[in-house]
Amino acid sequence: MTGALRSARAVLAGCLAFAAVAATGCDDSSTPEAFDMKKFEERSYANPFPALEEEWPDYGNGDPFVMRHDGRYYLYVSTKDFRVGIKAWVSDDLVKWTYAGLVTEDPVSTGAYAPEVIYWNGFFYLYTSPAGKGHYVFRSESPIGPFERITENVGMSIDGSVFVDDDGTMLFTHAGREGIVGVPMTSPSTFDYGKPILGAFLGHWTEGSMIIKRDGRYYMTLTGNHVFSKGYRVNYAVSEESPSGPYRVPDNNPILISTQPDFNGIGHSSTVMGPDLDSYYIVYHNLVGRSAEGPPVRQMNIDRLAFNGAKMSALGPTNFRQPAPKRADFEDRLDAGIDDRRWTEVRVGDDGGWIVSQARTSSVFTAEYNFRLDRAASPESRIGAVFAYTDKDHYSEAVIQPEKGTISLVRTEGGASTVLHEQPIPDGTDLTKLHSIRVERTDELVRVYLDSMLKLESDASEIGAGSIGYRYEKAKPTFSYTAFADDAGGTSDFETAKPIPGSIEAVHYLKGEGRGYRRSDAAAASDWRKGDGIAIRKSEDGSYSAALTGEGDWLRYAVNVSKSGTYGVDVLMKKAEASAEIELLIDDERVGSYGLPSFPSPEGDASEWVRTRVGKVELAEGYHTLTVKLTEGTAEWRTIEFSPSVSGAFEERNVLERSDSDAVHGSWELADGAYRSVGTEDAKMYGGSELWDDYAVETDITIEEEEFGQAGVLLRVTNESHFPDQVTDAIMGYYVAVNDREIELYKLNYDSELLVSADVALELNKTYRLRVEAVGGSIEAYLDQGKEPVFSYFDDRAFLRGKVGIRSSFAEHTALGDLTVTSLERK
């Protein structure tokens, strides 16, 4: 096996092996430390999940919702029509699930759609829309029931979801024809009047919403358009203002889509924190088919989410083996007893004391505490979640004083305590019920959450590493799940293996100088990961880029390649006057050199960034390290993406002749060697390969009568779908549309954007040869072998690969010939 296809298990970590490739000498700064891939291989899972114990027969696990509570996970799924009850499963790690039984058997739960559960002040509230006929609220003291119905039908459409903000206010969201609807709540079971949320619409029926809050931003995931559509998909939107919006829709949408024959119909997601206390995972279903009675059969999937500033991305969808979610670095369940091998306990009187872990956090950490009081608090009662503990005179704590109704951040130095910040806790908080405190300590901030609500924030400069635990006075607490992880604010995203095919954020390189990065000179300024000295800059969309400025400098990532083969290498790079050059190393062996071309920005150009294919690479299946090394110039980029590609030149004639029935949508007739749509519907036909990248596509086009609509060529098409109850432009790619008066270029991404148009004057019943060339972001159209293009357009965020096709948009009197596709080389 060649060096390019060498297995990750054969990493040549020695200095001589690396020096032979990199030719940079044999010093610690230039030679990456060996990276242990065994942690990924030892625990793994694959989507879709196999059938769960006691899942609904001939129905599967549709609309999966996962709630995390007290260090455990609870899964609830939709109930098949005409069946009673809601089933639940329990897991400690998001991978192994144990059936917990029916959480309710209330007759009104017949055909319960999309159940979701929240925990609030000692009670679990379940929301579901049985058979899609309004919503009901159920309540229980246990996440596995029994849940009892506490409301009559409160109305509203399907897929209800509840978000609780930091101030305790609640918002109910549900599906709608004009987008997701937001309904303010005055309690977990009472609702005000709702209205559509601006920016939460997928162009048709939109459902499956959920909101999380992270780093002060509201992230909504939402699904459209129909559960039986191959193009069912998950988008996300971001609001900086309120859970009620308005939301903006980032460029990297959809975040989950696949229309492949064996893995499609992806949607209805929920988002949950991972067992490492820092990561997030998205849970969703894929469509298997239709049950005998008609309802859909679906399977559950779980993939990692990753964050880069304001940008959220899904590391998927995947249906090959992935690393299992990492557990916390230290965790224990104290309600089962206190292990003196792991904890130091000191009693102070009858109702006071300390419990401190023998394990210590790093300086960056997240800690979680779950507890309740065994009796009502007295005026002197207090309970503190301890962290950064070095000894009894030096520690920090988040302190709740029940009678005062506050939570405080307190720092004790030399035995003297100082209250740094204090905030009220929600009125009516019952501390005899289980509550949680979460502490995040990043390089810059300490944040304290009570029951997932951010309550306190402080500068982190005086708070560092140490043990965690509890301190209590005049109280009889019961402690439950308690843990810490040496990650905070998303730093676990740096260490996870990024799936290929997929996109890798430049700033998600591995931790540690000599392990995750090498730079010859520290950057004068950096907007993130400041201690690394890498030039990191915040972009206009709120995400971050990374730059390498010194020859020989590099960034290193962990990757997981699904299948051995040829992959295109696409870089979202900063436009620059001068070109640069990088090398890619797999397991520290050079596999290719790539030029980053110059892209001078025209005057008035609003975009700093351009996506371009810089070349191709051979990758072997499995876990590897990927290193991006600068060899010339300066390189600044936001993402590097790998997608399957052809390895050489290609030319195919009569592409549509070989299309199968699944590639033909709408009604077409073939006569005299030309295709015409039949009727007034929007018709499409596809052919070729999704692996094609730079090519010219040609066809003959004849307009036989004056048309209302247009017809033309589709190119660089992926994830196409055809279904009556979805958006019309259910394609990712481009459409060159022609009528007798103009030629237009549209970009399609489950919506339609007109990029450019050109006036023409085509004679009726005359056949014209249409040629469209797509090279990188450049798309040009020619008529009848003309030397000058009819239009020329450059797309900064181009789709760079995909199949071809024809489309008739209500143009039944336009004839289109079969397609010829010829690969083109970059100039």
Side-chain angles (χ1 to χ4, degrees):
M1 185 172 288
T2 67
L5 296 178
R6 182 165 298 206
S7 165
R9 295 179 180 176
V11 175
L12 293 179
C15 178
L16 291 176
F18 184 82
V21 177
T24 56
C26 190
D27 60 271
D28 291 341
S29 63
S30 64
T31 306
E33 298 174 11
F35 185 82
D36 184 10
M37 292 293 176
K38 290 182 180 178
K39 66 178 182 178
F40 297 139
E41 297 170 348
E42 288 171 353
R43 293 185 64 251
S44 63
Y45 74 101
N47 290 323
F49 272 63
L52 299 181
E53 176 189 7
E54 298 293 333
E55 71 177 34
W56 291 112
D58 193 23
Y59 192 61
N61 294 305
D63 310 321
F65 173 81
V66 175
M67 177 189 68
R68 184 175 183 275
H69 175 74
D70 195 20
R72 287 199 170 97
Y73 296 92
Y74 299 86
L75 166 68
Y76 310 86
V77 301
S78 284
T79 301
K80 191 172 184 178
D81 292 359
F82 313 116
R83 295 179 182 169
V84 178
I86 295 171
K87 292 186 174 183
W89 290 261
V90 183
S91 176
D92 286 333
D93 60 6
L94 285 175
V95 174
K96 298 177 182 177
W97 294 93
T98 302
Y99 182 55
L102 288 167
V103 300
T104 185
E105 297 183 70
D106 188 313
V108 83
S109 68
T110 301
Y113 290 177
E116 294 200 8
V117 178
I118 68 164
Y119 177 75
W120 181 255
N121 203 26
F123 292 97
F124 298 87
Y125 294 87
L126 183 152
Y127 306 82
T128 189
S129 179
K133 299 174 182 177
H135 277 87
Y136 295 85
V137 184
F138 297 73
R139 188 174 70 179
S140 174
E141 293 186 1
S142 167
I144 57 174
F147 281 88
E148 297 182 356
R149 181 162 48 91
I150 61 172
T151 70
E152 296 303 317
N153 194 332
V154 297
M156 299 178 289
S157 182
I158 61 172
D159 295 354
S161 182
V162 176
F163 170 74
V164 181
D165 210 343
D166 294 332
D167 60 1
T169 57
M170 299 180 181
L171 181 72
F172 186 82
T173 59
H174 65 83
R177 295 193 179 278
E178 298 178 1
I180 299 301
V181 177
V183 184
M185 303 173 69
T186 53
S187 79
S189 58
T190 56
F191 306 82
D192 282 342
Y193 297 100
K195 61 181 180 180
I197 295 175
L198 186 63
F201 183 43
L202 297 184
H204 202 285
W205 179 258
T206 306
E207 60 188 19
S209 58
M210 185 178 178
I211 300 171
I212 65 168
K213 189 174 186 180
R214 185 183 181 279
D215 201 21
R217 301 182 184 93
Y218 302 89
Y219 295 85
M220 179 190 290
T221 49
L222 56 162
T223 294
N225 291 126
H226 195 282
V227 69
F228 279 116
S229 166
K230 287 172 61 177
Y232 202 52
R233 66 204 186 280
V234 178
N235 274 38
Y236 84 105
V238 182
S239 174
E240 311 283 348
E241 299 179 25
S242 160
S244 299
Y247 283 83
R248 61 177 177 85
V249 181
D251 290 337
N252 63 314
N253 270 300
I255 57 169
L256 288 174
I257 186 170
S258 172
T259 61
Q260 297 302 313
D262 59 345
F263 193 55
N264 60 62
I266 284 172
H268 196 112
S269 68
S270 62
T271 300
V272 67
M273 183 181 294
D276 66 353
L277 312 182
D278 182 65
S279 61
Y280 284 86
Y281 285 83
I282 189 165
V283 187
Y284 59 96
H285 70 238
N286 69 287
L287 180 67
V288 177
R290 213 181 267 269
S291 63
E293 299 89 345
V297 179
R298 295 162 291 185
Q299 297 170 292
M300 182 176 73
N301 304 265
I302 299 178
D303 275 314
R304 177 77 176 252
L305 289 173
F307 291 85
N308 171 9
K311 180 182 178 182
M312 181 174 80
S313 54
L315 304 186
T318 67
N319 60 347
F320 61 100
R321 297 211 70 82
Q322 299 299 312
K326 178 181 173 294
R327 302 293 292 265
D329 293 295
F330 172 87
E331 58 185 344
D332 203 356
R333 292 197 170 275
L334 297 178
D335 51 354
I338 296 172
D339 185 344
D340 60 12
R341 295 169 298 180
R342 311 191 75 194
W343 299 90
T344 299
E345 182 178 16
V346 177
R347 296 280 187 180
V348 180
D350 294 333
D351 52 4
W354 293 77
I355 301 172
V356 178
S357 67
Q358 295 176 15
R360 291 169 53 89
T361 71
S362 66
S363 60
V364 171
F365 66 89
T366 302
E368 182 180 316
Y369 313 77
N370 290 271
F371 60 90
R372 61 178 174 84
L373 300 184
D374 293 343
R375 66 185 185 206
S378 69
E380 296 82 20
S381 296
R382 53 182 282 149
I383 182 168
V386 174
F387 53 95
Y389 176 94
T390 56
D391 58 50
K392 65 182 180 62
D393 292 326
H394 300 85
Y395 60 91
S396 297
E397 58 183 334
V399 179
I400 292 179
Q401 294 177 269
E403 287 296 314
K404 190 177 177 183
T406 60
I407 183 169
S408 307
L409 178 59
V410 180
R411 179 63 183 161
T412 299
E413 287 287 348
S417 297
T418 303
V419 176
L420 303 179
H421 296 280
E422 185 172 273
Q423 289 290 329
I425 62 177
D427 291 341
T429 299
D430 183 356
L431 289 170
T432 66
K433 308 296 186 181
L434 194 74
H435 293 273
S436 69
I437 290 177
R438 170 185 171 86
V439 177
E440 296 177 354
R441 198 279 185 189
T442 67
D443 283 331
E444 297 178 347
L445 293 172
V446 172
R447 289 176 170 144
V448 177
Y449 301 79
L450 175 64
D451 296 335
S452 299
M453 297 176 286
L454 177 61
K455 293 299 180 185
L456 303 167
E457 191 171 82
S458 180
D459 178 79
S461 58
E462 296 182 3
I463 298 172
S467 299
I468 68 167
Y470 300 88
R471 189 172 77 91
Y472 55 99
E473 298 174 5
K474 302 296 181 181
K476 290 285 188 179
T478 293
F479 307 115
S480 192
Y481 180 80
T482 308
F484 71 73
D486 291 331
D487 283 294
T491 60
S492 63
D493 291 345
F494 310 157
E495 294 292 298
T496 193
K498 315 304 188 294
I500 292 178
S503 181
I504 302 169
E505 299 293 318
V507 293
H508 284 172
Y509 55 88
L510 295 165
K511 299 176 186 176
E513 187 173 5
R515 178 178 178 272
Y517 64 93
R518 188 257 188 189
R519 40 87 180 144
S520 48
D521 295 303
S526 183
D527 292 337
W528 195 32
R529 304 189 70 170
K530 297 179 180 179
D532 295 349
I534 300 295
I536 293 177
R537 185 168 64 94
K538 191 172 185 178
S539 303
E540 68 279 0
D541 69 346
S543 68
Y544 295 91
S545 64
L548 294 176
T549 58
E551 293 183 12
D553 291 356
W554 47 259
L555 301 176
R556 194 181 191 214
Y557 309 84
V559 298
N560 179 17
V561 181
S562 66
K563 186 183 299 184
S564 299
T566 304
Y567 290 83
V569 183
D570 302 331
V571 179
L572 180 58
M573 57 173 281
K574 187 176 185 293
K575 293 177 181 177
E577 297 290 335
S579 61
E581 188 170 291
I582 59 171
E583 288 180 348
L584 295 185
L585 293 83
I586 301 296
D587 301 331
D588 304 335
E589 294 193 36
R590 182 182 179 277
V591 293
S593 180
Y594 306 88
L596 301 184
S598 61
F599 281 98
S601 294
E603 186 175 345
D605 187 2
S607 174
E608 289 188 90
W609 305 94
V610 59
R611 179 183 290 116
T612 186
R613 174 152 292 185
V614 299
K616 300 179 182 181
V617 66
E618 296 292 321
L619 298 177
E621 180 178 338
Y623 296 109
H624 303 272
T625 58
L626 164 74
T627 302
V628 180
K629 180 184 174 185
L630 183 69
T631 55
E632 184 179 320
T634 296
E636 182 176 355
W637 76 100
R638 283 164 57 178
T639 63
I640 183 167
E641 183 173 355
F642 297 85
S643 57
S645 182
V646 291
S647 58
F650 55 88
E651 181 176 5
E652 289 201 25
R653 299 179 181 274
N654 300 320
V655 172
L656 299 178
E657 188 177 279
R658 293 183 291 279
S659 299
D660 58 27
S661 58
D662 288 339
V664 180
H665 305 308
S667 299
W668 293 89
E669 66 175 11
L670 176 61
D672 303 323
Y675 295 91
R676 296 170 180 83
S677 65
V678 179
T680 58
E681 65 182 320
D682 186 58
K684 309 176 187 75
M685 187 184 307
Y686 304 98
S689 171
E690 288 191 356
L691 307 187
W692 291 346
D693 46 22
D694 294 339
Y695 54 75
V697 54
E698 295 181 79
T699 188
D700 290 327
I701 184 165
T702 307
I703 302 173
E704 299 165 340
E705 295 182 20
E706 195 169 309
E707 292 278 19
F708 166 75
Q710 296 172 301
V713 171
L714 296 164
L715 63 151
R716 286 184 171 167
V717 169
T718 60
N719 288 310
E720 72 280 4
S721 176
H722 184 75
F723 196 79
D725 294 314
Q726 67 176 14
V727 294
T728 301
D729 298 299
I731 306 167
M732 299 173 74
Y734 298 96
Y735 176 35
V736 178
V738 181
N739 61 30
D740 63 336
R741 301 170 303 279
E742 59 187 353
I743 298 181
E744 298 177 325
L745 174 64
Y746 292 89
K747 187 174 187 178
L748 308 177
N749 187 12
Y750 280 71
D751 57 11
S752 178
E753 178 187 3
L754 176 63
L755 300 179
V756 67
S757 65
D759 294 334
V760 295
L762 304 186
E763 297 179 27
L764 299 183
N765 291 306
K766 178 180 177 180
T767 299
Y768 293 85
R769 188 68 171 173
L770 174 65
R771 175 183 172 92
V772 182
E773 296 183 358
V775 179
S778 174
I779 301 175
E780 296 181 331
Y782 297 83
L783 281 176
D784 283 351
Q785 284 77 48
K787 293 184 178 180
E788 295 298 322
V790 178
F791 69 72
S792 181
Y793 186 85
F794 188 86
D795 186 1
D796 286 338
R797 304 297 176 86
F799 294 122
L800 293 173
R801 66 179 179 92
K803 61 182 70 171
V804 295
I806 58 175
R807 180 179 188 179
S808 177
S809 306
F810 313 105
E812 58 183 324
H813 302 296
T814 299
L816 297 163
D818 210 327
L819 302 177
T820 297
V821 179
T822 307
S823 61
L824 298 175
E825 292 187 5
R826 303 287 178 94
K827 296 179 181 179

